[in-house]
Amino acid sequence: MPKPTAQPRPFGTTVFILLALALAALVLPAGALAAPEEGEGTVSVSPDPILLPATTVNNQSPAQTVQIGYEGEGEASVNKVTIEGEESGEFLFNGSNCGNLASGQKCEVWLGLKPTTTGEKHAWLTVTFNGTRPEQKFEISSRGVPAQLGFEPASYDFGLHRVNRENVSAYFTVENEGEASVQIGSFEITGPGSNAFWTGNSNCWGTWLEPGQTCSMQVWFNPQEVTTYEAELRALANGSVAAAALSGEGGRAIVQATENPVGFGTTGVGSLGDVHTVTLKNTGNMGEGFFIGVIAGGDAGSFQLLDEHCTMHELAPGQTCTAHVRFKPLAPGALSAHLAFFGEGEGGVLVQLEGEGVSGAASIAPGSFDFGLQAVRTRSLSHVFAISNTGSTPLGFDHVSIGGADLDQFIVSGDECSGETLAPGGECQVRVRFNPDSVGAKQAVLKVYGSAPAVVAPLSGTGTEPQTASLGTSPLGQPGPGPAAAPAPAAKQPKRAKHRRFGRNATIAAPVAARASRSGHARR
């Protein structure tokens, strides 16, 4: 007998079964067929209450761990964890690993605080569950506190320092004096004198300071002007500011001559002018030291630094020092130089020296003289030459000399001019004798040297044999008597008197000298 063929299931029955299964999936929760029994135990948090550490305003606290635990029969299925309440925005939710909790199990939630203002902060940690278990709320509290930084020292005076030359620094300690950790944001120096200060080395930048911890900041001071500087060092952290007062003073020695330029007037070339006192005074607020004082530049050779009391010691504020300078022009015309002092100061001190050199003028009278005949190895009477200052400035004389072919045949027997200075119109005298040592005509030149061009007078005379020699020119300039027929009896020699200011061993016969005039005639 053949095997019966299986009848296919009606299409409608299959559809019904699929619809029933789909409906069951919509109505029953996932895993309902194997879902554990919902417990009625207790959900708790730790720590309880949830108290987060105080945090500085606008700063974010480190994440704090809060545990959620379940005790009881069955399970507690956590759906989500949130922060709720009016100040929930002040708190941070950093995640959770909570799910199904069996009895004795715990999960973790990470919370933080970022306060925007100071004061107490409150919110709720809300835990919602799957199933019929009602949500549970746990209070969260904390405080927003201001950043509190302090400087030690709270103010600092850098004192007096030379402008543009002296850099000095000081270290400031920054301490967290508040209740919460602080991150140092930045430093700034403000105030009207801030351009003279700047920050240096520091271990504070970006540093977190726990309460009581410190870091340090270096501050430099370098003044640019002679004035008082005031500024403020500020540390900024989380919207709070701590400040320390800064001060300092710029200093400089201001040394100037009380007279500048110094005028020496008019002086004859080669003559010694007046001595001028040059006074320097320090009107600044710092001392100044000089190591050298010189006359330099231009016509330095026409000015003589005789002495000075300004170098090798410090010129304190308000003090003065002096130098003595003489004008001795080497050439005619306007002459100038500088009295310069160099030392610690910027650029030293220069004092302008000014004077005018003029050429002196002198004359000699007579302009020449002939001693006539003079016996060999005898001396003539002294002849007077008058030297006059015909210029407008004092005239100095250095020395008198005789030059020329027969310079050794004439003798300077009196000199009132060497080393003397004649005022305009003044006069001095030089005396000359003829003393031939051989027969024949003799010639020489009398020269008188000084600050003016030398004045000269040609000299002449003739040496003769003793028996033919005349007595020389008489005091009145007339020829003397002819040769004597026979030697006269020895006469008593007149008393000879030394003449003041004459040259070495110069003498003059007293009776003859009494008859001599200042007209330039010969004297004995």
Side-chain angles (χ1 to χ4, degrees):
M1 181 171 181
K3 185 177 178 179
T5 303
Q7 296 295 320
R9 180 178 295 174
F11 176 78
T13 303
T14 301
V15 173
F16 175 80
I17 294 172
L18 293 174
L19 289 174
L21 292 173
L23 181 61
L26 291 174
V27 174
L28 297 176
L33 296 179
E37 179 182 357
E38 182 178 329
E40 297 181 355
T42 302
V43 176
S44 62
V45 295
S46 176
D48 187 13
I50 304 173
L51 180 61
L52 301 182
T55 304
T56 54
V57 173
N58 297 320
N59 194 19
Q60 180 175 323
S61 70
Q64 303 293 312
T65 301
V66 176
Q67 293 182 332
I68 300 176
Y70 174 70
E71 293 290 341
E73 297 179 356
E75 292 184 348
S77 178
V78 178
N79 185 8
K80 63 180 179 179
V81 180
T82 58
I83 297 177
E84 298 178 352
E86 293 183 1
E87 296 180 312
S88 59
E90 301 284 275
F91 294 87
L92 298 173
F93 180 76
N94 296 320
S96 169
N97 62 0
C98 292
N100 294 333
L101 297 176
S103 180
Q105 286 187 333
K106 296 180 180 180
C107 65
E108 294 180 338
V109 176
W110 294 280
L111 304 177
L113 178 69
K114 188 176 182 180
T116 59
T117 60
T118 60
E120 298 287 337
K121 308 296 177 183
H122 299 277
W124 298 98
L125 179 66
T126 302
V127 182
T128 59
F129 301 90
N130 296 315
T132 60
R133 178 181 291 277
E135 68 180 14
Q136 286 190 251
K137 294 180 178 293
F138 303 95
E139 184 179 10
I140 310 171
S141 62
S142 187
R143 287 186 305 123
V145 296
Q148 291 181 297
L149 298 176
F151 279 106
E152 176 60 39
S155 64
Y156 189 81
D157 184 1
F158 286 85
L160 177 65
H161 295 279
R162 199 176 301 272
V163 297
N164 297 316
R165 297 183 63 190
E166 295 179 2
N167 297 333
V168 292
S169 68
Y171 276 90
F172 291 78
T173 298
V174 184
E175 181 179 1
N176 181 0
E177 299 175 344
E179 303 177 53
S181 61
V182 176
Q183 185 180 29
I184 305 295
S186 62
F187 287 87
E188 64 182 13
I189 296 178
T190 62
S194 59
N195 61 326
F197 303 90
W198 69 94
T199 56
N201 297 326
S202 176
N203 60 353
C204 292
W205 305 107
T207 300
W208 282 90
L209 296 180
E210 296 299 324
Q213 285 188 333
T214 62
C215 62
S216 63
M217 168 60 70
Q218 183 186 31
V219 176
W220 286 91
F221 174 58
N222 176 224
Q224 295 90 45
E225 298 178 7
V226 180
T227 187
T228 299
Y229 291 87
E230 293 183 353
E232 190 174 71
L233 172 65
R234 307 175 74 194
L236 292 81
N238 307 118
S240 296
V241 177
L246 307 176
S247 60
E249 184 177 1
R252 176 188 286 130
I254 304 175
V255 181
Q256 296 174 322
T258 56
E259 178 187 1
N260 195 2
V262 178
F264 288 81
T266 301
T267 302
V269 173
S271 296
L272 296 177
D274 294 335
V275 176
H276 281 247
T277 300
V278 179
T279 301
L280 303 185
K281 184 174 183 179
N282 184 359
T283 59
N285 59 357
M286 294 195 74
E288 180 67 285
F290 298 104
F291 60 83
I292 188 172
V294 296
I295 292 179
D299 305 297
S302 293
F303 299 87
Q304 300 174 340
L305 178 59
L306 303 180
D307 61 66
E308 55 86 8
H309 308 281
C310 296
T311 61
M312 307 309 293
H313 71 277
E314 185 174 272
L315 189 63
Q319 286 187 341
T320 61
C321 64
T322 59
H324 295 98
V325 180
R326 172 176 280 165
F327 182 42
K328 184 181 180 181
L330 300 181
L335 304 173
S336 65
H338 287 101
L339 173 59
F341 290 93
F342 299 99
E344 301 173 357
E346 303 170 9
V349 177
L350 299 179
V351 183
Q352 181 80 5
L353 308 177
E354 298 176 349
E356 182 179 1
V358 295
S359 296
S363 65
I364 185 169
S368 64
F369 187 75
D370 183 4
F371 283 87
L373 301 178
Q374 183 69 35
V376 172
R377 289 181 291 279
T378 64
R379 292 183 180 183
S380 71
L381 302 176
S382 292
H383 186 79
V384 175
F385 292 84
I387 292 85
S388 300
N389 180 359
T390 58
S392 61
T393 61
L395 183 60
F397 292 97
D398 296 330
H399 65 283
V400 175
S401 68
I402 294 178
D406 301 308
L407 60 89
D408 58 342
Q409 306 297 298
F410 299 87
I411 301 171
V412 175
S413 58
D415 178 6
E416 298 178 359
C417 296
S418 295
E420 295 295 324
T421 298
L422 297 183
E427 179 184 297
C428 62
Q429 295 180 349
V430 174
R431 292 174 172 78
V432 179
R433 283 183 172 184
F434 180 38
N435 184 27
D437 62 2
S438 63
V439 174
K442 313 296 181 184
Q443 292 184 342
V445 177
L446 172 63
K447 298 181 180 180
V448 182
Y449 295 92
S451 54
V455 291
V456 298
L459 306 174
S460 60
T462 301
T464 65
E465 293 294 343
Q467 64 273 20
T468 61
S470 71
L471 295 179
T473 305
S474 70
L476 297 179
Q478 301 298 322
K492 184 177 181 180
Q493 295 295 323
K495 185 177 182 180
R496 306 176 71 86
K498 281 195 175 181
H499 193 279
R500 67 178 182 87
R501 308 183 64 86
F502 275 18
R504 184 172 58 185
N505 299 325
T507 60
I508 183 168
V512 178
R515 297 192 301 270
S517 68
R518 296 174 58 85
S519 62
H521 294 151
R523 298 181 183 179
R524 188 165 180 83

